[in-house]
Amino acid sequence: MSGIDPMLPFDVALALALVALSWAVLAAADRFAMVVLFIVLGLMVALAWVRLGAPDVALAEAAIGAGVTGALLLATLRHLRGPEAAPAPGPVRWSVAALVAGVTVALGAVVVAVATAPRPEGLAGPVRDNLPASGVEHAVTAVLLNFRAHDTLMEVVVLLIAVIVVWAVDRGLAAAHDPAAGPEADGLGPVQAGYARLALPAAVVLGIYLLWAGAHAPGGAFQAGAVLSAVGIMAVLAGRWRPEAHHRAWARAVFGLGAAVFVLVALGVGLGPGVAYEYPPHLAKPLILAIEAAVTLSIAATLAALFFGREPAPVSRSRGRRP
Amino acid sequence: MTPAVMDGLMPHLIDWEVVAIMAPLLGALAGLVMPRAAAGIGIAAVGLTTLAVAALSWAVTTQGARMMALGGWGAPLGIDLRADGLAVMMLAMTAGVGLCISLSALAGQRARPAAGRPGVFWPLWLLLLAGLNGAYLSTDLFNLYVMLEVISLAAVGLTVMGGGAAALRAGFEYLMASMLGALLFLLAVGFVYLRFGRLDLMGLADLVTPGDPAMAGVLALMLVGLALKTALFPLHWWLPAAHASATAPASALLSALVVKVSLYIVLRVGQYLVPPTEGLVLLVGLAGGAAMIWGGIQALRAERLKLLVAWSTVAQIGLIFVAFARSGAAGTAESWKAAALLMLAHAVAKAAMFLAAGRIKDEVGHDEIARLDRSPVRPTLAQFTFALAAISLIGLPPSIGFAGKWLLMEGALAAGYWHWVALTFVGTLLSVAVFSRVMVPFLRFDRQRGPVGEHQGWALADAPPLVLALASFGLGLGAAQILTMLEVGEPFARATGAVLGGAP
Amino acid sequence: MTEVVLLPVFILMTSLGVAPLIFALPERAAGWRTALNLGAAAAKVALVGWLSWKVARGVIYEVRFTVLPGLEFKLQADPLAVLFIALSAVLWLITTVYAVGYLEKGPHRSRFFGFFSLCVAATTGVALAGNLFTFLIFYELLTLATYPLVVHRGTAAALRAGRIYLIYTLCGGLVLLFGTLWLWVLAGTTDFVPRGVLADVVADAPVQARVLFFVLIAGLGVKAALFPLHAWLPIAMVAPAPVSALLHAVAVVKAGAFGIMRVVYEVFGIDTAQALGVTAPLVAVAAVTILYGSVRAMMEDDLKRRLAFSTVSQVSYITLGVALASPIAAIGALAHLIHQGLMKITMFLAAGNLAEGLGVKSVSQMNGVGRKMPGTMVAFTLALLAMIGLPPLAGFVSKWYLASGGLAADQGWVIALLAGSSLLNALYFLPIVHRAWFGVESDAPARVPGRPRIGWMMTAPPVATATLVLVAGIFANAPFSPLEWTRFIVALEYLEPQP
């Protein structure tokens, strides 16, 4: 590829937007604005990844960077209402200035240099060559669950940590007030409730389909989990199901299920002649599907719990009680 | 396989690397499902991890660096784990310090079950441990990013776990800084992938040419991201509040272990991706020097013990960067060892100090420095531990902190960089002033009401920090062995080669 | 003949290893603590006796291991080390007996004796250090171990004094650290070798070598209380009597003076130092300190402060003798290291008895104390007279050698200096003797009410050290006397080393 990339203006704009957003995140006076900007920043970075030719990374980043951390930040934010933070002290302003200056220069240099340089083929070749041995037909799934399964396991772990943290936050503040716009509000009209009743089975089917399709077409555990989590969220919103304290043990088990199955499979195949994550060729497909199924369940439960935003605790008894 | 990899893919009976990552992960999952048994499971998992790390260290020191390809694919398609001297030191440091902190947390939770929150602490800490071990063994940029995510999120969880709005607010700031740092790092990783089409460090090392402007920009992005995460001045604003408002074991983990992983990645980046340039090294050193001075001044002004200790972390991180810069770009082939030794020194001593500060706070009932000498309760063992840790952080012989500072100044003097020596002395004097602020009231007895006993406030929980503090001295006397071990697998062989062959 | 045997390690462990045990003992276990303290001190004296016997036969013990690449932790029992270690072992035993009596029923005894042991361990390490790097380790340990002793009373005044002490000594330690580092970078070794290791460096970079010399002396001079770095010493007088005694006679100031000896003789080498022209300024500093300390001592009424300024003056005799660069003066310097220790410890122990038993803290209160505490005051008087330089006491011996050394080095003014200093000594010491024995009290109860009775554990130690002052003077030429031993050392430093 010679000459100037036609996408260069877009890349430069994207880079500048990233800088502006990072600055805005650090400088935002209002914490809520800060969080929203952060979510936007995460999406922009995901976009940058697409431009960089790595859609799989982009998906993971969109899920983790924007979704999870945004939810986490919002969950934290709920408890910071009240005394608004004092204006940023001097050192913070310096560091913001230093950061913005550094990042601007670096990004400018990188974008120009990378855009004018020849592009290497990347990993597409090796992925194509090894696809038959991976047990699945779709490249992204092969990368996520076989070639770079270690990364994916750790991304599942990130989600798990997120839900542990969100639960920990609420339990840490015995005096925390209820989620302001929380799902306990029974403000759903009959239309929404009816819609939920119709949509729930469809969403379940869609989620399972995405999971299956991940083996040979784009899709997979993260997307399927996201769709299935919508099921849980809608069920809660429609008042069809309400998280109770005695659900906690089950919930924890489901949160951990995906990572557990993943780890056990990874270690189990390592007990044989291979190393960890080295699936025997004839078992690769079923093992990957098993992992995906478990991970999908965990992701669905985790995202729904993140949306719900706090650990369900008995209403009548004091929330100060700890397990 | 690239020529940079000199150690072969030898078959091993047990892949201790995998055990070191998976054992804490499984322990966390078990602890999550069984919160009542979390403490027992946690100690068992940490113990198993420590054994795995010990076995791995033994294998590496006796047989040389080792490498394994996860899934059997091998880089660049798959992810390789590599254990060389530097990685093993970091793993051993994490395991040893982590074990002591675990025991201390256990003792604390026995005494105060509600405050310790075992059901939250153990899963988070074990996941953090898995992330740390994963990062030290990683050879892949994207994998490093994912590990950083695991580590930062777990660290934020440990910060807010202490409860209270202050902890939450601190955790929020921490989360913002950490995530922003991660995003910048991720962007840099993306550019590397775009430029070279691969993410494995060793493969990249062969492709990168010195003086590539794109790589200079990438390096700057990475450095800013990592500096945010490790709280290098002036990007340190989030650290003091976060480290000061967590519970004592959590503070110890954050200060001793979590900030180290970003420093470690800085070293690896300098090793594989970009041979550092003179200007960059100077910049890093100056930021480090400013951190030493600013952190010291702020610690002098801190009113609470834990805040003082947290500010001293800012100063100590500065010192580590000064060590990296001590003899210019050409010297980094040796300077990284001084930086690594100081990382170890800080990890061991700061963990001891935070745990001791927590013990003092528990026994006295508060941690206001100005009122410490009014208390008739003197937890002498915790105070003694604090003093020992302070000696190592100040850098007095024969502690490991001294060994690190000696290496720093020796290299700087030999290369004629007197300003780093002067800066280090200023930092040392500041830290003397900081810690004597705390330790002088320990010995004052005319302001309290009632008699003061000699052995008050001794508890089993004093043992782990004391062991850590004493370890600073044992390690100091064994610094030569540590340096020999660091060189296994020649972590910086390439940097040396590049300097000899490339730079004028 | 060099032997690698663990004897030096055992000697070090008699105090270093005992310290944690003492720390761990509960406050009530006074009997155990005393037994442990005295047992360890006695064991140390015995081991040091054995060591001196072997070293006198030409054996040199060495223990070493590598701490940093090329840098060794090295313990080495050479004759110079034995000289200092013997002093510290004997005086530790005596001071421990005294301290047990002094602190009876006082608070924080576990802590006190723990740091006391650490302090002696540090002194032992300073003595046994085989290179400047090891010396530095113990030099810093000495600072840290004595600080809690100085502030032992825990009052605001004690803490203020402690802070000044800490600022001076830690800064001195850092300067020494810098000097050690620089020496290592310049010479590639920090070993103590008879006649020095720096001859080559001096030839290449004389300016750097000169600066290095003064950096090292400045670092050591803080502890040796060289003018103008002496200000901490009189202030540190708030410490309990046994601590002051140890500080002045054995531990801190002596560590500084001993370090100066090591640097001049075994890092630079006396010939090299003289060729560099750095000994003359050192002589000048020592001379100024001698006179300044004496003049200030005259102006003090507080007994312990007067003794402290006297120490400032007397310790510089050692530096003077070293810097004069004549073998005979060197004999005087080394002998004075011991003699001053014996004399000064007697005085401080006696002053402690006066303060505890009678509440007498200043010279003007001393009228007639001789009749109330005859044993203590006889010892005190003997030490005073020795310090002035009355023959045949120990102080006379060292002054004699110093003066002869000055003559031998063609520095006749040294005799005038010593005579002047002796005169000043007499002026500030003799009034004490006069008041104690001939002074008339205005109103004198036999015992001050509310004051504890001074038991034998506090009376016997000054008497014992005063006896040693007498013996060291009278039997100066007997084998194993301090003087004989110093001749043995000086032969090593000034003549070709024996193969």
Side-chain angles (χ1 to χ4, degrees):
Chain A
M1 210 181 293
S2 63
I4 301 293
D5 191 324
M7 290 295 274
L8 181 61
F10 175 75
D11 289 344
V12 172
L14 187 61
L16 290 180
L18 283 170
V19 177
L21 276 169
S22 336
W23 176 76
V25 166
L26 285 175
D30 178 43
R31 284 173 196 274
F32 185 75
M34 217 181 206
V35 174
V36 172
L37 286 169
F38 193 84
I39 296 174
V40 178
L41 179 63
L43 290 172
M44 285 295 204
V45 172
L47 202 56
W49 273 100
V50 174
R51 277 297 300 134
L52 296 173
D56 45 343
V57 179
L59 288 175
E61 175 51 32
I64 297 172
V68 175
T69 53
L72 206 59
L73 287 169
L74 281 171
T76 318
L77 188 64
R78 200 158 53 218
H79 301 285
L80 293 176
R81 292 282 175 204
E84 198 53 47
V92 174
R93 293 196 186 283
W94 298 357
S95 40
V96 169
L99 184 69
V100 171
V103 171
T104 310
V105 172
L107 263 186
V110 170
V111 168
V112 171
V114 170
T116 52
R119 299 249 168 119
E121 189 214 13
L123 293 178
V127 170
R128 208 165 39 242
D129 297 343
N130 288 289
L131 198 55
S134 73
V136 287
E137 290 93 56
H138 189 251
V140 172
T141 309
V143 169
L144 285 180
L145 282 149
N146 199 337
F147 304 143
R148 301 186 67 95
H150 189 47
D151 282 347
T152 310
L153 169 63
M154 285 300 164
E155 278 160 14
V156 172
V157 168
V158 169
L159 279 174
L160 179 64
I161 299 175
V163 76
I164 297 177
V165 173
V166 166
W167 280 24
V169 166
D170 261 8
R171 306 277 294 175
L173 281 183
H177 40 79
D178 283 348
E184 281 159 293
D186 43 3
L188 286 184
V191 179
Q192 286 97 321
Y195 169 76
R197 211 169 297 135
L198 278 180
L200 286 183
V204 173
V205 172
L206 182 65
I208 293 171
Y209 168 74
L210 276 176
L211 180 63
W212 176 252
H216 54 82
F222 277 93
Q223 291 90 322
V227 171
L228 282 182
S229 76
V231 175
I233 292 167
M234 277 190 283
V236 169
L237 281 177
R240 306 220 59 174
W241 180 65
R242 188 183 157 76
E244 299 283 355
H246 63 267
H247 295 151
R248 285 182 305 195
W250 282 107
R252 282 200 205 93
V254 179
F255 296 153
L257 178 71
V261 170
F262 213 147
V263 172
L264 290 176
V265 170
L267 287 179
V269 296
L271 288 180
V275 295
Y277 297 102
E278 190 169 2
Y279 315 121
H282 59 287
L283 287 175
K285 183 158 186 171
L287 285 176
I288 286 177
L289 274 179
I291 293 172
E292 284 212 289
V295 167
T296 303
L297 268 181
S298 286
I299 291 176
T302 306
L303 290 180
L306 285 176
F307 178 81
F308 185 69
R310 64 190 193 64
E311 184 172 5
V315 181
S316 53
R317 276 179 291 173
S318 157
R319 203 183 294 143
R321 276 174 60 97
R322 276 146 194 155
Chain B
M1 199 82 347
T2 56
V5 183
M6 274 164 281
D7 34 82
L9 281 165
M10 291 204 309
H12 312 297
L13 197 58
I14 300 179
D15 291 319
W16 295 114
E17 297 92 334
V18 176
V19 180
I21 299 173
M22 294 304 191
L25 193 48
L26 279 176
L29 294 169
L32 182 72
V33 178
M34 293 176 277
R36 274 168 221 286
I41 293 170
I43 289 289
V46 174
L48 183 58
T49 311
T50 309
L51 283 181
V53 168
L56 182 63
S57 309
W58 176 253
V60 168
T61 41
T62 51
Q63 296 152 26
R66 48 190 248 170
M67 189 143 175
M68 64 164 298
L70 289 176
W73 300 107
L77 180 64
I79 296 169
D80 293 343
L81 299 183
R82 181 165 192 262
D84 60 10
L86 178 59
V88 161
M89 188 204 84
M90 299 303 283
L91 288 170
M93 171 189 103
T94 307
V97 173
L99 186 63
C100 285
I101 296 177
S102 301
L103 293 172
S104 171
L106 187 70
Q109 286 163 1
R110 286 262 163 89
R112 296 174 177 74
R117 306 188 73 195
V120 177
F121 174 80
W122 289 104
L124 279 179
W125 151 225
L126 289 172
L127 292 173
L128 174 67
L129 181 59
L132 289 169
N133 288 349
Y136 294 138
L137 289 166
S138 179
T139 60
D140 183 283
L141 277 178
F142 189 76
N143 186 243
L144 275 175
Y145 160 75
V146 179
M147 294 301 176
L148 274 179
E149 288 269 26
V150 169
I151 293 163
S152 358
L153 216 51
V156 169
L158 287 170
T159 309
V160 301
M161 190 195 81
L168 206 54
R169 195 161 283 135
F172 185 82
E173 299 276 325
Y174 184 13
L175 189 59
M176 296 297 299
S178 198
M179 288 299 150
L180 200 61
L183 280 182
L184 292 177
F185 183 79
L186 182 64
L187 265 183
V189 174
F191 283 119
V192 170
Y193 180 69
L194 191 60
R195 176 82 177 73
F196 298 111
R198 59 197 299 168
L199 292 163
D200 58 312
L201 286 168
M202 285 166 190
L204 287 168
D206 295 337
L207 297 175
V208 175
T209 47
D212 183 344
M215 284 314 286
V218 165
L219 184 68
L221 269 183
M222 277 191 181
L223 268 184
V224 173
L226 293 170
L228 250 173
K229 278 179 163 291
T230 198
L232 174 63
F233 184 91
L235 302 174
H236 64 280
W237 79 88
W238 55 268
L239 183 142
H243 288 194
S245 47
T247 59
S251 297
L253 289 174
L254 294 173
S255 229
L257 300 181
V258 173
V259 292
K260 300 299 178 309
V261 77
S262 315
L263 287 168
Y264 170 83
I265 296 175
V266 170
L267 287 188
R268 287 295 189 203
V269 167
Q271 172 193 354
Y272 288 115
L273 285 189
V274 194
T277 59
E278 198 65 49
L280 190 73
V281 167
L282 180 68
L283 192 71
V284 161
L286 286 179
M292 273 201 301
I293 291 168
W294 182 249
I297 291 172
Q298 290 297 317
L300 279 176
R301 296 173 52 193
E303 285 170 6
R304 291 183 179 270
L305 185 54
K306 286 185 74 184
L307 192 60
L308 178 141
V309 180
W311 272 112
S312 118
T313 298
V314 173
Q316 291 280 327
I317 289 166
L319 177 69
I320 294 168
F321 277 100
V322 172
F324 189 66
R326 61 162 196 181
S327 48
T332 45
E334 286 293 316
S335 303
W336 69 273
K337 281 186 271 183
L341 216 55
L342 281 170
M343 278 196 240
L344 176 65
H346 181 249
V348 175
K350 194 44 76 67
M353 185 174 268
F354 255 123
L355 293 177
R359 288 283 306 133
I360 292 171
K361 190 178 176 181
D362 282 351
E363 292 293 332
V364 175
H366 64 82
D367 71 338
E368 277 177 57
I369 296 166
R371 291 201 299 131
L372 279 181
D373 54 4
R374 290 182 196 274
S375 165
V377 181
R378 302 292 168 102
T380 41
L381 214 50
Q383 290 176 340
F384 189 63
T385 304
F386 191 98
L388 287 181
I391 289 170
S392 178
L393 290 176
I394 291 169
L396 293 178
S399 64
I400 176 85
F402 168 76
K405 270 196 180 165
W406 177 277
L407 274 190
L408 189 175
M409 295 193 287
E410 179 193 346
L413 264 186
Y417 288 73
W418 288 72
H419 47 287
W420 297 132
V421 180
L423 208 52
T424 309
F425 269 100
V426 173
T428 304
L429 282 175
L430 265 173
S431 56
V432 169
V434 165
F435 292 123
S436 44
R437 263 190 81 203
V438 180
M439 294 189 296
V440 164
F442 290 169
L443 294 172
R444 180 155 191 187
F445 295 101
D446 60 346
R447 295 178 73 190
Q448 86 286 358
R449 298 199 194 90
V452 175
E454 190 76 11
H455 287 185
Q456 282 174 336
W458 287 33
L460 203 57
D462 285 323
L466 184 62
V467 167
L468 278 172
L470 290 173
S472 312
F473 292 86
L475 290 169
L477 291 172
Q481 278 78 8
I482 299 173
L483 286 170
T484 312
M485 194 194 78
L486 271 176
E487 283 170 359
V488 172
E490 301 183 7
F492 264 70
R494 183 183 157 273
T496 325
V499 167
L500 292 178
Chain C
M1 183 161 61
T2 302
E3 276 187 24
V4 182
V5 193
L6 291 178
L7 189 54
V9 178
F10 290 143
I11 291 176
L12 191 61
M13 289 319 280
T14 50
S15 33
L16 192 63
V18 166
L21 300 178
I22 296 176
F23 277 127
L25 275 182
E27 195 62 24
R28 298 179 308 280
W32 280 106
R33 188 166 44 240
T34 305
L36 207 54
N37 272 320
L38 293 179
K44 182 170 212 161
V45 171
L47 286 174
V48 169
W50 186 21
L51 181 76
S52 351
W53 182 257
K54 298 285 276 189
V55 171
R57 262 145 200 76
V59 181
I60 292 180
Y61 291 92
E62 243 185 34
V63 180
R64 52 166 84 193
F65 70 91
T66 306
V67 173
L68 282 165
L71 261 182
E72 283 176 329
F73 178 91
K74 181 170 162 195
L75 295 179
Q76 171 186 307
D78 57 5
L80 188 56
V82 168
L83 180 77
F84 191 27
I85 211 173
L87 174 76
S88 78
V90 171
L91 294 192
W92 183 36
L93 178 59
I94 292 173
T95 318
T96 304
V97 173
Y98 184 82
V100 170
Y102 185 89
L103 284 176
E104 216 169 23
K105 309 234 162 31
H108 312 306
R109 275 170 296 168
S110 282
R111 199 185 75 201
F112 181 89
F113 283 106
F115 283 115
F116 205 67
S117 287
L118 274 185
C119 177
V120 174
T123 313
T124 312
V126 161
L128 287 171
N131 56 25
L132 195 55
F133 178 73
T134 313
F135 182 91
L136 175 74
I137 292 176
F138 288 107
Y139 194 75
E140 300 280 16
L141 176 63
L142 185 59
T143 303
L144 298 171
T146 43
Y147 173 75
L149 295 176
V150 170
V151 303
H152 181 73
R153 293 189 207 279
T155 59
L159 287 170
R160 204 173 318 119
R163 185 182 313 129
I164 292 169
Y165 171 69
L166 203 59
I167 290 172
Y168 268 89
T169 48
L170 270 181
C171 289
L174 285 181
V175 172
L176 183 65
L177 163 63
F178 174 70
T180 310
L181 187 73
W182 199 11
L183 171 69
W184 166 244
V185 171
L186 275 181
T189 175
T190 67
D191 278 358
F192 294 144
V193 176
R195 307 169 65 75
V197 294
L198 271 181
D200 297 342
V201 176
V202 167
D204 292 343
V207 179
Q208 287 202 31
R210 266 186 210 113
V211 179
L212 173 64
F213 183 82
F214 288 109
V215 167
L216 290 173
I217 295 297
L220 296 162
V222 172
K223 278 209 172 85
L226 279 183
F227 181 84
L229 306 170
H230 65 281
W232 61 271
L233 186 60
I235 297 170
M237 283 303 88
V238 293
V243 175
S244 295
L246 213 57
L247 232 64
H248 282 256
V250 191
V252 179
V253 288
K254 282 301 166 54
F258 184 74
I260 292 177
M261 272 184 197
R262 286 284 198 197
V263 166
V264 173
Y265 287 143
E266 307 207 325
V267 173
F268 279 79
I270 189 72
D271 299 332
T272 316
Q274 218 178 355
L276 267 181
V278 289
T279 48
L282 192 56
V283 168
V285 171
V288 169
T289 313
I290 289 172
L291 290 179
Y292 174 83
S294 297
V295 171
R296 284 298 302 269
M298 249 174 26
M299 288 149 53
E300 296 290 344
D301 184 44
D302 185 284
L303 181 59
K304 281 179 89 179
R305 279 182 69 85
R306 185 175 287 197
L307 294 182
F309 275 111
S310 150
T311 304
V312 172
S313 167
Q314 293 281 334
V315 168
S316 283
Y317 281 36
I318 301 170
T319 312
L320 179 76
V322 170
L324 275 176
S326 112
I328 300 173
I331 293 175
L334 290 164
H336 202 58
L337 186 84
I338 304 295
H339 293 162
Q340 190 269 351
L342 295 173
M343 297 183 286
K344 212 25 134 336
I345 203 164
T346 312
M347 294 187 190
F348 270 104
L349 297 181
N353 284 352
L354 292 178
E356 287 299 299
L358 304 173
V360 170
K361 288 183 175 163
S362 60
V363 178
S364 53
Q365 296 169 322
M366 287 183 74
N367 285 345
V369 291
R371 285 187 295 279
K372 290 179 200 161
M373 285 192 173
T376 299
M377 284 317 294
V378 166
F380 200 165
T381 308
L382 206 60
L384 290 186
L385 296 177
M387 199 68 110
I388 296 169
L390 208 69
L393 299 171
F396 166 74
V397 175
S398 29
K399 282 191 184 178
W400 173 265
Y401 274 92
L402 283 171
S404 318
L407 274 184
D410 290 333
Q411 311 251 11
W413 58 274
V414 171
I415 296 181
L417 176 75
L418 290 172
S421 169
S422 294
L423 183 66
L424 289 168
N425 290 351
L427 282 176
Y428 64 77
F429 275 144
L430 286 181
I432 296 179
V433 178
H434 178 79
R435 275 176 191 273
W437 296 110
F438 310 110
V440 181
E441 285 172 283
S442 46
D443 48 342
R447 264 191 69 230
V448 182
R451 289 275 162 194
R453 178 175 284 283
I454 298 299
W456 70 268
M457 289 188 101
M458 290 174 75
T459 320
V463 173
T465 50
T467 314
L468 288 177
V469 170
L470 198 62
V471 170
I474 295 174
F475 298 102
N477 279 319
F480 282 94
S481 78
L483 187 71
E484 272 306 298
W485 195 265
T486 58
R487 287 189 183 139
F488 178 38
I489 297 168
V490 170
L492 285 178
E493 299 297 346
Y494 276 86
L495 305 172
E496 285 302 323
Q498 286 124 13

